[in-house]
Amino acid sequence: MAGLRFGGSMIPKSLSFHDAVIAGIEREGTSYALHVEDVAVDDGEDVINGTLVLDDVRRVVIDGNAAAELVMSGDDGEILELEERPGPVLRVVVVWTKYESHDETQNLYLIECQSVRWEADE
């Protein structure tokens, strides 16, 4: 299956993370699990939920500033862009929303990691 390859792993090409929502982030050691909802499959013919697993995260840069860790910056985060860069580095643009105040903040993340993999919920 063709797809985006990250450090030997793969995210299927049939998935689109544009407008998907980060509902939670968990950290275990140097790895992170991003719980993502509303991922489009086959040009939007289906929508699934799952987990984007970032193994051995070495560095997180948010809007050009180094960050100690990857955390939620709102109640949820809408993914506008998600792409791989050499390194491998995951480039993600997220709009975070705070429900109570209705505030929205856009951030650009550059995440350097060993590998990235998608695990669909069953």
Coordinates of all heavy atoms in Angstrom, one line a residue, residues 96-104:
W96 N -6.2 25.4 17.8 CA -6.7 24.9 19.1 C -7.9 25.8 19.5 O -7.9 27.0 19.4 CB -5.7 25.1 20.2 CG -4.5 24.2 20.0 CD1 -3.3 24.5 19.5 CD2 -4.4 22.8 20.2 NE1 -2.4 23.4 19.4 CE2 -3.1 22.3 19.9 CE3 -5.3 21.8 20.7 CZ2 -2.7 21.0 20.0 CZ3 -4.9 20.5 20.9 CH2 -3.6 20.1 20.5
T97 N -9.0 25.1 20.0 CA -10.2 25.8 20.5 C -10.4 25.6 22.0 O -10.3 24.4 22.5 CB -11.4 25.3 19.7 OG1 -11.2 25.5 18.3 CG2 -12.7 26.0 20.2
K98 N -10.7 26.6 22.7 CA -11.1 26.5 24.1 C -12.6 26.8 24.1 O -13.1 27.8 23.8 CB -10.4 27.6 24.9 CG -8.9 27.3 25.0 CD -8.1 28.3 25.9 CE -6.7 28.0 25.9 NZ -5.9 29.0 26.5
Y99 N -13.3 25.7 24.6 CA -14.8 25.7 24.5 C -15.4 26.9 25.3 O -16.3 27.6 24.7 CB -15.4 24.4 25.0 CG -15.0 23.2 24.2 CD1 -14.9 22.0 24.8 CD2 -14.7 23.3 22.8 CE1 -14.5 20.8 24.1 CE2 -14.4 22.1 22.1 CZ -14.3 20.9 22.7 OH -13.9 19.8 22.0
E100 N -15.0 27.1 26.5 CA -15.7 28.0 27.4 C -15.5 29.5 26.8 O -16.5 30.2 26.8 CB -15.1 28.0 28.8 CG -15.9 28.7 29.8 CD -15.5 28.5 31.2 OE1 -15.3 27.3 31.6 OE2 -15.4 29.5 32.0
S101 N -14.3 29.8 26.4 CA -14.1 31.2 25.9 C -14.3 31.4 24.4 O -14.3 32.5 23.9 CB -12.7 31.7 26.3 OG -11.7 30.9 25.7
H102 N -14.4 30.3 23.7 CA -14.5 30.3 22.3 C -13.2 30.8 21.6 O -13.2 31.2 20.4 CB -15.7 31.0 21.7 CG -17.0 30.5 22.3 ND1 -17.5 29.3 21.8 CD2 -17.8 30.9 23.2 CE1 -18.7 29.0 22.5 NE2 -18.9 30.0 23.3
D103 N -12.1 30.9 22.4 CA -10.8 31.4 21.8 C -10.2 30.3 20.9 O -10.3 29.1 21.2 CB -9.8 31.7 22.9 CG -10.2 32.9 23.7 OD1 -11.0 33.7 23.2 OD2 -9.7 33.1 24.9
E104 N -9.6 30.8 19.8 CA -8.9 29.9 18.9 C -7.5 30.4 18.7 O -7.2 31.6 18.6 CB -9.6 29.8 17.5 CG -10.9 29.1 17.6 CD -11.5 29.0 16.2 OE1 -11.0 29.6 15.2 OE2 -12.4 28.1 16.0

